[in-house]
Structures are given as C-alpha cells and as structure tokens.
Amino acid sequence: MSRSFELNGAIAVVTGASSGLGRRFAGDLARAGAVVVGVARRRELLEELEEQLRKASSPSATRVCDVSHTEAFTTLLGEIEREHGRVDLLVNDAGVGEPRDEEGLSKYRSVMDTNYFGAVAGTLAVLPGMLERRRGAVVNVSSDSGRAPSPGEPAYSASKAALSAFTEALAMGIEGSGVHLHVLYPGWVPTAMGSGAVEGGMRMPPKAVRRTEEQVSRLLLERVGGRRLDIDATVVARLAPVARALVPGLYRRGVRAASS
Ligand SMILES: NC(=O)c1ccc[n+]([C@@H]2O[C@H](COP(=O)([O-])OP(=O)(O)OC[C@H]3O[C@@H](n4cnc5c(N)ncnc54)[C@H](OP(=O)(O)O)[C@@H]3O)[C@@H](O)[C@H]2O)c1
C-alpha cells in the first residue's frame, strides 16, 4: 500500500499498459486494491492483461486507445469518469522512443503527439474533477533524456523535456489543492523500449542507472501522492543537470564519450 496515497479502492488509469513499465504499474496497482483501467493500442496484449488485472481487482478493465488521438483519449477518460464516478490516479506512461526510420519535421511531430500531447491532454482532462474533489494524482512518465539530453535522440529528449516542464509548471500552480502532479524518471529499464535502444546502437547504460520494472513500480506506488514532484529512480541521473549547468564543456564531452 502507498504510504502517502490510498490506493485501495482508487480508480486508476494507466496508459502504455500493454507492455513494459505500464503493464507492471497496472498489475501492481490492481494488487494494491485499485480499480485499474489499462490503456494502449495492442488489443491482444490488453486482453491478456485484463485477465490478470481482474484476478487481483475484479472491476478492472482495459481499453484500446491511441493517446496521440487526443480527442479519442479525452473522450475515453470522460467515459471512465462517468462509469466509476471519478478518476483518482492517471499514469501517463504511453511513450515511443526515437524513430529510426523517419526524418524531418514529421518525426518530431509524431513523437510529440504521443509523448507530450497525449500526456498533456490526459492531465488536463482529469485535473478539473480532481481539483473539485481536492484529491487525485497524475504521474507523467518522463526520462533522464529530458533533463540531460542524449545524442541521437533529439525528438525523444525534446518530448520528455517538454513533458517535465509542463508538469512542473502546472504543479506549482496547484500547490496546496490536494492534487499531486509528479514526474517519474525511471532510469534505464530493459523493456522493449530500453533494450531496443541498446540493440539500436545506444551504449549499455552504467549499472548505477539501471533499474527493473519491479523497482520502478515499487517506487511509484510508494511515492505517489507524496510532496515531491519528481519521483527519481536513480540519484546519478538527478545530478546530471547540475554537472551540465556547472561544467557544460566537460559534461558534453562525458556524455559523448559515454554514448559512442
Ligand atoms: N525503458 C526505459 O529505459 C525508459 C527510461 C525512461 C523513460 N521511459 C519511459 O517509460 C514509458 C514506458 O516505456 P517502456 O520502457 O515500458 O517501453 P515499452 O515496453 O515499449 O512500452 C511503451 C508502451 O506505450 C504504449 N504506447 C506507445 N504509443 C502509444 C500510443 N500512441 N497510444 C497508446 N499507447 C501507446 C505501448 O503500447 P501499444 O504499442 O500497445 O500502444 C506500450 O504499452 C515511456 O514513456 C518511456 O519513454 C522508459
């Protein structure tokens, strides 16, 4: 059970629930007693997940939705609110990595549509109800690439930097409202996305920033609804922006060396 947020009986929506971190979050939240609605595009994977979720929390369900279609996503969130009376927790986990087969502006737009605008649309859709009830939490899953951009990932890094900035600015405006906005930084996790980046040529990240799905999920369940905006899976990555500000030349040489 969460130390700071009652998960038992909470209505939780998790995007990106068909695989990796999102799938783990959805399962762990259901085991903690939340009613979970898992959202993603791949129907077969969601059907398997739904079976698993219902064993732990019988009203849980899954819904097929592409979060980059923001109208469809916000309509879905409205339906969930009407069906369950509220949404207590939204985890905007759905995300895509740097496209390897796309170039030009369209690549940047498509990454922003999922990683940034999907999460922004979700946050803005559930926030009014949460503020009215003076209770709720939104977790936007960012990346260390957002605060310490990685070479070879300009679209991904920019989308996550935008998501972090959006969440932090919004959080400052609602402090004391009873609603908690968080940015989750998972470190590097060997999911389809994490392992795919390494297979695609990214150097294996150092041990200090490697985490498992289980570790990141445990941290999320412990910290959600707490006072801290950032939920950090690794300390090292938290220090990267400090080095970047204090010794930018040295920092960039270090990042280039670590990635080549
Ligand atoms: N793994 C890491 O090292 C790492 C590090 C930092 C941050 N992150 C972040 O963690 C989050 C989860 O990634 P992961 O590592 O667990 O990778 P993953 O296994 O590839 O999961 C990505 C999830 O996002 C869903 N998704 C992608 N585009 C979507 C869309 N348009 N609409 C709805 N769902 C969509 C995918 O489901 P469908 O394909 O079925 O839609 C999948 O469930 C991402 O936001 C990622 O940027 C990961």
Side-chain angles (χ1 to χ4, degrees):
M1 173 179 306
S2 167
R3 277 190 235 130
S4 38
F5 191 80
E6 184 54 63
L7 294 172
N8 193 17
I11 309 299
V13 179
V14 180
T15 71
S18 60
S19 69
L21 286 166
R23 187 180 173 93
R24 180 81 205 195
F25 299 154
D28 286 350
L29 285 165
R31 282 184 284 278
V35 173
V36 178
V37 182
V39 177
R41 295 166 301 179
R42 285 171 291 175
R43 185 179 299 278
E44 313 77 63
L45 295 180
L46 289 180
E47 281 167 4
E48 277 171 36
L49 174 70
E50 187 164 295
E51 214 174 292
Q52 182 201 319
L53 293 179
R54 287 204 161 146
K55 282 184 192 150
S57 160
S58 56
S60 292
T62 57
R63 299 291 291 269
V64 174
C65 182
D66 182 333
V67 301
S68 71
H69 298 164
T70 50
E71 216 180 301
F73 181 35
T74 52
T75 300
L76 172 64
L77 288 168
E79 285 168 14
I80 297 169
E81 273 184 333
R82 277 191 295 283
E83 186 182 340
H84 295 280
R86 62 191 195 277
V87 170
D88 299 308
L89 171 62
L90 170 64
V91 183
N92 283 309
D93 168 85
V96 288
E98 187 78 15
R100 304 289 164 197
D101 52 356
E102 252 182 273
E103 276 313 323
L105 200 54
S106 66
K107 157 173 126 165
Y108 292 85
R109 286 197 201 282
S110 71
V111 174
M112 287 299 265
D113 278 342
T114 299
N115 293 5
Y116 179 65
F117 285 112
V120 170
T123 306
L124 297 183
V126 296
L127 202 54
M130 290 181 178
L131 288 171
E132 207 176 299
R133 293 185 295 277
R134 301 192 63 78
R135 182 179 186 274
V138 177
V139 179
N140 286 331
V141 181
S142 187
S143 162
D144 293 317
S145 308
R147 51 188 179 182
S150 333
E153 296 190 314
Y156 181 74
S157 300
S159 70
K160 294 298 188 178
L163 182 59
S164 296
F166 160 76
T167 312
E168 184 169 349
L170 204 59
M172 285 191 280
I174 61 161
E175 235 169 54
S177 68
V179 178
H180 303 270
L181 302 186
H182 300 284
V183 187
L184 172 67
Y185 295 96
W188 179 85
V189 187
T191 59
M193 186 189 292
S195 303
V198 171
E199 280 153 25
M202 185 184 95
R203 193 183 260 203
M204 185 67 168
K207 264 196 180 146
V209 302
R210 290 185 220 158
R211 292 293 179 271
T212 63
E213 291 167 15
E214 188 187 352
Q215 285 172 322
V216 178
S217 183
R218 196 183 319 128
L219 187 72
L220 170 68
L221 266 65
E222 273 171 19
R223 298 273 174 88
V224 68
R227 290 180 57 194
R228 283 196 211 159
L229 169 82
D230 290 347
I231 301 179
D232 269 295
T234 81
V235 179
V236 177
R238 189 169 178 77
L239 297 177
V242 180
R244 181 171 159 235
L246 294 179
V247 281
L250 190 65
Y251 167 79
R252 273 198 294 277
R253 277 200 298 281
V255 171
R256 275 200 303 271
S259 335
S260 59

